[in-house]
Amino acid sequence: MTTVSRTFLVQPEPAVVIDYLKDFAHAEAWDPGTEKCTQESPGEIRVGTRWHNVSKIAGVTTELTYTLETLTPGRLVFRGENDSASTTDTITVQAKGGGSEITYDAVIEPKGAGKLGEPLLKLLFERIGTKTEKQMTEVLDGLPA
């Protein structure tokens, strides 16, 4: 299991941040690995909504189905699954100053033979975590107030 965590500040208030990030299709804008992300479940976004995500990481394309497991005014949890890995992304948002403090925790669990590469995965995902923090900050700070 590989865990990556980042805590950072953005200008929008928590309600704006949660409203934007609850739509995992927006990962195309803030996640450096995501190439395409489309909502599979019809209707409004709620717990149980699913997305099909296509990402390229270290030159390898992978597809996962993400499900929104938790949606509260201060916390989002997305669970991604495919045959080779599962991931849990927890985004906690709280008011800080005039904006928000975000804590983004990603837990990646390789399955099968993928477990052998976990030490390298940690290094790779730490780099991705830094890029994600930068991109997410830029995107969220660019949202209308």
Side-chain angles (χ1 to χ4, degrees):
M1 174 171 43
T2 298
T3 301
V4 177
S5 183
R6 296 288 185 278
T7 299
F8 51 98
L9 299 173
V10 297
Q11 295 172 7
E13 63 182 31
V16 172
V17 171
I18 291 289
D19 190 55
Y20 178 80
L21 293 178
K22 74 180 181 185
D23 185 350
F24 203 68
H26 289 146
E28 290 179 12
W30 57 259
D31 178 14
T34 295
E35 293 186 328
K36 187 167 178 74
C37 191
T38 53
Q39 186 174 330
E40 293 183 331
S41 304
E44 291 185 32
I45 295 169
R46 60 190 174 281
V47 170
T49 299
R50 292 180 321 280
W51 291 264
H52 179 77
N53 181 284
V54 179
S55 294
K56 186 178 269 189
I57 299 170
V60 178
T61 299
T62 186
E63 298 184 33
L64 292 100
T65 298
Y66 277 88
T67 304
L68 179 59
E69 292 190 339
T70 302
L71 171 59
T72 69
R75 189 166 180 256
L76 299 165
V77 178
F78 296 96
R79 177 104 172 135
E81 291 281 341
N82 68 13
D83 291 339
S84 60
S86 64
T87 179
T88 303
D89 294 11
T90 303
I91 303 169
T92 306
V93 183
Q94 61 183 2
K96 184 88 169 202
S100 299
E101 180 180 78
I102 297 174
T103 300
Y104 191 114
D105 295 307
V107 178
I108 303 98
E109 299 179 63
K111 299 176 185 176
K115 290 181 180 184
L116 298 174
E118 281 193 79
L120 293 175
L121 280 179
K122 177 69 172 169
L123 292 173
L124 175 64
F125 281 101
E126 282 294 338
R127 280 192 219 140
I128 292 170
T130 299
K131 290 178 182 177
T132 300
E133 176 184 345
K134 183 177 186 286
Q135 260 181 248
M136 186 182 284
T137 299
E138 289 172 0
V139 167
L140 291 171
D141 283 348
L143 293 176

